[in-house]
Amino acid sequence: MSRIYGVNLISRMSGAITDTIVSAIPKTTISGNKTQKRIDWIGEKFSSPENRLILGVSALMTQPFIDAQNKKVDEETRKVSVARTVAKIIAGTLTGYYVRAGCIKLIDEMTKLPSEVKNPNSFGGKLRMLFTPDDAKTGALKSLKKYKNALGTTISLVVMLFTNFLIDAPLTKYLTNLFTDKFIKPKDQKGGTVNE
Amino acid sequence: MSSASLFDAFKNYMAKNYGKSHGKMLIHTGVIGWILSAAAQVMAIVTNDKISYKQKMYLIPQELADAAVNIVSFYLITQTFKSVSTKAVNCGKLLNKPVREFLEKNNIKNVGKKTFDVLRDGKLPADLTEKFESFRNGVDFIGTTAGSILSCNIVTPIIRNEIATHKQKNHIAKMEEYNISVANPARNYFEKPSIQSFQAKAYSSSLKI
């Protein structure tokens, strides 16, 4: 009950903030042809893999510096924390991007309209229409590309259930140790643990 | 319900809920992604022999706080950014030139008001509806991504580090307290006297037998 109340409260707060900000925004028209085209292009081409890539690149530009500025912990811990943050961003961004992009590509191949398939009744034909929703077949769903992106991203979550443990975490561990050995540990400490 | 109809229901649910909105899907999948990632990362820290215990006491709470703060800030900040960008376009505060010109030319009233909806009240022709939707998607993506950068890459690291520092200090204080108690165990209430303490008491001036 209290959890539902909490979610409602956050939702209402967010709604009130949104209304206040929107009413404060002056009427704006994007008139530049180039800017308009760029915004349209982003809306058309970009989806969750690109979002993950942008987040990863911007994370590399901010998070290690925020960790390095945390003077409340000792220097060794701070340095290991920076190494782990960089390792985690690299591993997470690479796997996140490729898993999402791969799943969206796979869904794209298996969400064809009947008109795009040579033999719709054959096994191969049925496989290529496996994820095609009824609305798309009847023409009611205009934005099939967004549906494919959303479904591909959802499927990628299931895949990431495994890759998080099989690729992300071991790669983060490997890179953390690599960065720690190369850039943090003094030469005489190599082989042991830091600050043991 | 058969598995085939369940599968159809799933496909139609996805098409209905996410078929038109990029931002909504990015938020929902992002939240689940953080939880899965945090679980894997905690496992990686725990099993990393090259990280000392003291550093693990900082890194594990840091990772857990990262996931928790990310989810809250994602809903508060990213959702707000997404809602503001979508609402600003939907009510006509932020528009591209062809749509604005059409609305002004046709003397459509209340453009930019909270209750106005460009698609519902603007009576746009099909080609402009398409242009409006791709513009809205672009703004939606930019808003959601900007909100994500602010919440995940700036707000979350600052807060998670504060939480992790606090947790590490608490752990260290508890460990030191434990070490002191092991080194100097508290005396039992009915402590058995040693022979030395008995002799010292017996031959002191205060105890006469």
Side-chain angles (χ1 to χ4, degrees), chain A residues 30-44:
Chain A
I30 307 292
S31 51
N33 209 19
K34 272 187 180 175
T35 316
Q36 267 187 69
K37 276 185 179 167
R38 270 184 206 144
I39 294 173
D40 291 350
W41 184 76
I42 288 170
E44 194 62 35

Side-chain angles (χ1 to χ4, degrees), chain A:
Chain A
M1 192 73 179
S2 61
R3 198 183 68 84
I4 294 168
Y5 178 74
V7 171
N8 282 341
L9 189 69
I10 289 179
S11 169
R12 267 189 291 163
M13 266 171 62
S14 183
I17 294 168
T18 303
D19 284 347
T20 313
I21 297 172
V22 172
S23 21
I25 295 174
K27 266 190 191 174
T28 311
T29 308
I30 307 292
S31 51
N33 209 19
K34 272 187 180 175
T35 316
Q36 267 187 69
K37 276 185 179 167
R38 270 184 206 144
I39 294 173
D40 291 350
W41 184 76
I42 288 170
E44 194 62 35
K45 303 279 178 194
F46 281 21
S47 187
S48 65
E50 291 76 18
N51 174 271
R52 187 71 190 83
L53 202 60
I54 294 168
L55 276 185
V57 173
S58 55
L60 272 181
M61 294 191 285
T62 57
Q63 292 198 26
F65 300 99
I66 292 170
D67 282 358
Q69 287 300 313
N70 186 14
K71 299 279 159 65
K72 289 175 186 167
V73 289
D74 62 279
E75 202 184 339
E76 298 269 17
T77 304
R78 201 162 59 234
K79 284 177 177 176
V80 174
S81 162
V82 171
R84 208 191 75 80
T85 297
V86 173
K88 186 186 153 188
I89 294 168
I90 293 173
T93 305
L94 285 178
T95 28
Y97 175 78
Y98 283 111
V99 168
R100 282 174 172 89
C103 288
I104 289 172
K105 178 80 186 143
L106 181 77
I107 294 298
D108 182 39
E109 291 299 321
M110 294 167 83
T111 312
K112 299 291 177 194
L113 292 170
S115 58
E116 296 171 307
V117 180
K118 276 184 187 170
N119 291 316
N121 291 325
S122 67
F123 174 74
K126 281 179 182 165
L127 195 66
R128 298 198 78 192
M129 294 192 299
L130 185 68
F131 292 108
T132 312
D134 298 337
D135 284 358
K137 287 174 188 165
T138 57
L141 181 70
K142 303 281 182 214
S143 46
L144 190 60
K145 192 170 187 292
K146 283 184 206 78
Y147 162 79
K148 288 177 191 173
N149 284 338
L151 189 60
T153 307
T154 309
I155 301 288
S156 75
L157 276 179
V158 181
V159 177
M160 278 193 280
L161 194 70
F162 300 97
T163 57
N164 270 329
F165 289 91
L166 298 173
I167 302 172
D168 256 43
L171 187 59
T172 303
K173 188 175 161 180
Y174 169 77
L175 290 174
T176 304
N177 292 342
L178 187 80
F179 297 149
T180 308
D181 283 343
K182 276 215 165 181
F183 305 112
I184 298 166
K185 269 188 196 172
K187 277 174 188 167
D188 57 350
Q189 269 193 310
K190 277 190 179 176
T193 59
V194 181
N195 197 26
E196 241 172 351

Side-chain angles (χ1 to χ4, degrees), chain B residues 1-169:
Chain B
M1 195 183 261
S2 71
S3 59
S5 57
L6 258 177
F7 185 61
D8 281 342
F10 168 71
K11 285 191 293 186
N12 292 332
Y13 174 84
M14 292 298 297
K16 194 179 165 196
N17 283 282
Y18 300 116
K20 282 184 179 171
S21 171
H22 262 141
K24 191 177 170 187
M25 180 264 297
L26 291 176
I27 285 178
H28 290 172
T29 55
V31 168
I32 302 169
W34 293 123
I35 296 170
L36 294 177
S37 169
Q41 292 298 336
V42 167
M43 190 198 76
I45 299 167
V46 171
T47 56
N48 193 341
D49 298 334
K50 287 197 171 185
I51 297 176
S52 75
Y53 184 67
K54 189 184 172 189
Q55 284 150 9
K56 281 180 185 177
M57 282 192 304
Y58 176 72
L59 296 176
I60 294 172
Q62 189 190 40
E63 189 55 50
L64 292 174
D66 190 79
V69 177
N70 250 327
I71 291 167
V72 176
S73 71
F74 217 61
Y75 266 102
L76 281 176
I77 299 170
T78 313
Q79 178 76 53
T80 304
F81 266 69
K82 184 210 155 355
S83 306
V84 167
S85 49
T86 309
K87 181 127 196 186
V89 178
N90 277 342
C91 74
K93 273 276 171 91
L94 178 65
L95 286 174
N96 53 2
K97 203 178 172 188
V99 176
R100 175 79 70 206
E101 279 175 350
F102 176 86
L103 294 174
E104 282 173 357
K105 204 173 154 188
N106 289 282
N107 212 13
I108 306 284
K109 299 250 176 342
N110 296 325
V111 178
K113 293 251 168 82
K114 217 163 69 174
T115 50
F116 187 79
D117 187 312
V118 174
L119 282 180
R120 188 191 61 209
D121 309 319
K123 296 166 188 129
L124 300 177
D127 62 323
L128 272 186
T129 302
E130 209 172 294
K131 275 185 183 169
F132 172 78
E133 282 184 340
S134 66
F135 174 76
R136 185 175 62 180
N137 278 331
V139 174
D140 192 28
F141 183 91
I142 294 167
T144 308
T145 306
S148 305
I149 291 171
L150 180 67
S151 74
C152 303
N153 294 342
I154 296 167
V155 174
T156 299
I158 293 171
I159 298 175
R160 71 152 194 232
N161 284 355
E162 283 297 319
I163 295 171
T165 307
H166 180 71
K167 289 273 176 197
Q168 190 200 33
K169 278 183 179 161

